[in-house]
Amino acid sequence: MRPSRSMRIAAGLALAGAAVVGVAQAPAPDAERTLRAGDTELRVSVIGVDDARRRRQLQDWLAEVAHAQLTAFGRYPLHSARVRIEQVDREEARGDESPVPWGQTLRRGDAAVLLFVRDDASLVELRADWTAIHELSHLFHPYLGRDGRWLSEGLASYYQNVLRARAGLLSPERAWELLEAGFGRGRRESSGAPLIELSREHEGTMRVYWAGAAFWLQADVALRRDHASSLDAVLSQYSACCLRGTGEVAPAEFLSELDRLSGTTVFSANYARFVQSREFPSVDGVYRDLGITRRGDALVFGDEGRAAALRRAITAPFTATAGEGMKSAAGTPR
């Protein structure tokens, strides 16, 4: 879910309910599109938009975002999921100037990503926004409840930058800068409360989101550095064996399964260290592993050696084998 937005949650939930129920009037044919990758699909609906050109624009934008999601492991994490896009005007957005003022992933009956787009947002603005890929990234994990909020929002916050870099929507350097900016916001949360408490009580949003992102970054680096694996590879295995679009999984159970699939203790060991932490975790060690140093407020990226290769591998896109990749319902590669 997009954090710290001025649109009120109650208003957002009311809109979400309306989107799930749908409208009595049949949608225009071009308001519905199914994106396919192998045997997985995203069913994308544009709701209540009368302008055919705008419907196509929103569909094409979402297809580009969905392509970024495919850079994790070449297919969508769920066999089938829905995406619903609805427009809001500035008054409904309550002064929120972002192109996508609100988004949420729901798991009622099936998995659905809801995106509320400002009706005057340009395609350039939409392509620069992170909300859609953040919400799609929630489909990589099961619902983890309040105790796992920091894990779920952390994974989406990590992938919202990494996947956009892989898809060419950001430069790799900009992706790392955005992650560092998020870590900076997390460090400024100084309540001293345990991370698990902030997660349960929906407090300390910036530490919850960005400490979570640091958790997944550290796990990804450890898998790549020491185990010839990656976060992508382990989540791909989890998707194939265990991921359901609905239902709740306890955080410890989810991470234990990731350990089993990876043949490591990377996830559970980090969990024990993070969950009771009272301050933002240091990322200095993982930055050294990636050849990243701080110079004032800027990041400096090493160009040579294993560290640079490891860093570049994280933002390198998945390479589909013959016959794989994203296709529209008509079978046309996108």
Side-chain angles (χ1 to χ4, degrees), residues 272-289:
R273 181 166 57 89
F274 271 67
V275 72
Q276 295 298 334
S277 62
R278 293 177 177 270
E279 58 185 23
F280 197 85
S282 172
V283 293
D284 292 348
V286 77
Y287 274 11
R288 284 193 296 272
D289 289 337

Side-chain angles (χ1 to χ4, degrees), residues 248-287:
E248 183 173 342
V249 176
E253 179 184 338
F254 175 52
L255 297 180
S256 176
E257 188 63 23
L258 297 186
D259 277 345
R260 185 189 70 80
L261 292 169
S262 64
T264 75
T265 59
V266 162
F267 297 97
S268 58
N270 276 345
Y271 178 78
R273 181 166 57 89
F274 271 67
V275 72
Q276 295 298 334
S277 62
R278 293 177 177 270
E279 58 185 23
F280 197 85
S282 172
V283 293
D284 292 348
V286 77
Y287 274 11

Side-chain angles (χ1 to χ4, degrees), residues 4-16:
S4 300
R5 285 298 174 190
S6 59
M7 177 175 281
R8 298 174 187 169
I9 297 299
L13 288 172
L15 286 170

Side-chain angles (χ1 to χ4, degrees), residues 11-221:
L13 288 172
L15 286 170
V20 171
V21 172
V23 293
Q25 182 179 353
D30 61 353
E32 307 283 345
R33 184 184 294 181
T34 300
L35 305 174
R36 294 196 174 98
D39 64 350
T40 63
E41 66 178 23
L42 286 179
R43 292 173 287 128
V44 184
S45 301
V46 177
I47 306 300
V49 177
D50 294 330
D51 185 337
R53 179 177 176 276
R54 180 63 165 175
R55 288 195 299 268
R56 288 192 299 272
Q57 185 181 73
L58 293 173
Q59 286 282 8
D60 290 345
W61 161 67
L62 197 284
E64 183 176 54
V65 176
H67 173 74
Q69 187 186 27
L70 290 179
T71 64
F73 44 80
R75 67 181 190 280
Y76 301 118
L78 293 170
H79 177 69
S80 182
R82 293 182 296 124
V83 180
R84 292 190 175 238
I85 304 170
E86 191 164 338
Q87 293 197 136
V88 294
D89 61 26
R90 287 180 180 270
E91 182 178 352
E92 289 175 302
R94 287 166 170 75
D96 193 324
E97 295 295 323
S98 63
V100 188
W102 192 71
Q104 188 179 23
T105 302
L106 299 179
R107 303 172 192 268
R108 302 169 185 164
D110 62 358
V113 170
L114 309 178
L115 299 169
F116 294 91
V117 175
R118 211 181 67 230
D119 59 6
D120 60 349
S122 70
L123 181 58
V124 170
E125 290 176 306
L126 290 170
R127 294 183 77 236
D129 191 72
W130 52 265
T131 308
I133 191 60
H134 179 99
E135 296 303 330
L136 285 176
S137 294
H138 279 307
L139 301 179
F140 288 110
H141 64 80
Y143 177 60
L144 299 172
R146 292 191 307 161
D147 283 7
R149 179 170 168 259
W150 69 276
L151 286 168
S152 60
E153 297 296 355
L155 181 62
S157 298
Y158 177 57
Y159 266 161
Q160 76 189 34
N161 295 301
V162 168
L163 300 185
R164 286 192 295 157
R166 292 178 185 173
L169 298 173
L170 296 174
S171 70
E173 293 77 15
R174 183 57 180 157
W176 293 113
E177 289 166 355
L178 289 171
L179 279 168
E180 171 62 15
F183 297 155
R185 293 191 292 275
R187 292 184 195 104
R188 290 194 286 275
E189 198 288 315
S190 57
S191 67
L195 183 59
I196 185 66
E197 180 179 312
L198 297 177
S199 185
R200 287 172 180 162
E201 301 303 322
H202 282 253
E203 296 177 349
T205 297
M206 288 298 102
R207 179 146 70 95
V208 166
Y209 277 58
W210 293 103
F215 171 89
W216 294 108
L217 169 62
Q218 291 187 13
D220 198 5
V221 170

